[in-house]
Structures are given as structure tokens and as C-alpha cells.
Amino acid sequence: MRLLLLSCLAATLAAAPSAQALDRAKKQDLIVQCAACHGADGVARDAETPDLAGQHDVYIYRQLRAFSSGARPHKEMRYMGRHMTDEEMQAIASYYSGLPKQ
Ligand code: HEC
């Protein structure tokens, strides 16, 4: 029994780094998608798209939630928001808030 518990623990620990790597890949994938409109550096090239660089992470996160629920209506952003988990929204909010404003 004890051995079983230990092997479960070992399996969990071994799985952790690969789960994290998957998250990083997913985050990178999202950034590429957002960059199409918001710029890789978080600075949009088009006047109808807001800059995200240096924006507060809480603000970005709340907007993503609002787009996804439809509370803030916008076709493209609703689509983006609906395909993101809460964890992904937080990760992307923290990524863009960490970029320098221009
Ligand atoms: C097809 C273009 C497009 C893509 C792709 C896109 N956005 Fe947007 N995004 C917009 C536009 C346009 C707005 C302005 C919405 C409005 O007018 O209310 C916006 C608004 C936002 C806002 C609100 C900013 C503010 O100042 O209120 C956030 C946050 C945001 N997008 C995050 C993201 C993230 C994160 C991704 C990637 C997962 C993403 N967007 C992908 C076009 C896009």
C-alpha cells in the first residue's frame, strides 16, 4: 500500500513539468493569435484595436471575462474569450501587463 502511494506521488511529480510545458506552449499559441490584432509587443497598429502593453493585468483579465460572457459585446473578442480558460486569461493578462507601454 505504502509503495503504491509512493509510486503515485512519483508519477504526479514526474507529470508536473510536462503539464507546465504544455501550458507554456498553449500560452505561446494564444499570444500568436492575439498578436495578429494587438501586436506581438502589445501595441496595436490599427486605430480600432486597443494597445494591451502595460495595461493592468486585472483590467485585461476582467475585459476578457466580459467579452467571453457577452457583457462587453464584440464579435472577434467574444470568439477569442470563449475559447480561453480562466487560467489562460490570467496568464495572458499577466503577459501583456508586463510589456512596456509605447
Ligand atoms: C481579430 C482581431 C483581434 C484578435 C485576434 C484579438 N483581439 Fe482583442 N480586441 C480586438 C478589438 C477590435 C478590440 C476592441 C473591442 C471594442 O471595441 O470593444 C479588442 C479589445 C481587447 C481588449 C480590451 C482592451 C481595452 O482597452 O479595453 C483586451 C483585453 C483584448 N482585446 C485582449 C485580447 C487577447 C488576450 C487576445 C488573444 C487571446 C485578443 N485580444 C485577440 C481585436 C482582436
Side-chain angles (χ1 to χ4, degrees), residues 6 10 25 33 37-38 42 44-45 47 53-54 73 80 84 100:
L6 278 179
Q33 290 181 49
C37 297
H38 292 282
R45 307 290 181 265
M80 295 306 302
M84 292 171 82

Side-chain angles (χ1 to χ4, degrees), residues 30 33-34 37-38 48-50 52 55 59-60 63-64 67 72 74 76-77 80 84 92 96:
L30 280 169
Q33 290 181 49
C34 311
C37 297
H38 292 282
E48 300 207 345
T49 309
L52 298 179
Q55 189 59 267
Y59 177 79
I60 297 176
Q63 298 317 301
L64 290 171
F67 284 126
R72 179 170 171 179
H74 192 266
E76 283 99 354
M77 284 311 305
M80 295 306 302
M84 292 171 82
I92 209 101
Y96 276 118

